[in-house]
Amino acid sequence: MALFLFLILAAVILGLIGVAANGLFYLLVIGAVLFVADLVFFGVRWSRRSHRHHFVR
């Protein structure tokens, strides 16, 4: 969970620098790609975790 939060923070910071600094649009793109990749990674981990629980009848 700490890795997820760190990557979200890094994506936001890169995005803000990319918007604020003139000529550093590529940082905004890198931040957006990092954000999407982090959400996909978190979704995969979440779905794997939910499949491990077996209900006993």
Side-chain angles (χ1 to χ4, degrees), residues 6-22:
F6 174 73
L7 289 176
I8 292 290
L9 181 64
V12 169
I13 290 172
L14 285 174
L16 288 175
I17 291 172
V19 168
N22 199 9

Side-chain angles (χ1 to χ4, degrees), residues 28-44:
L28 176 63
V29 173
I30 292 171
V33 169
L34 182 63
F35 181 73
V36 170
D38 191 33
L39 290 179
V40 168
F41 176 72
F42 185 71
V44 168

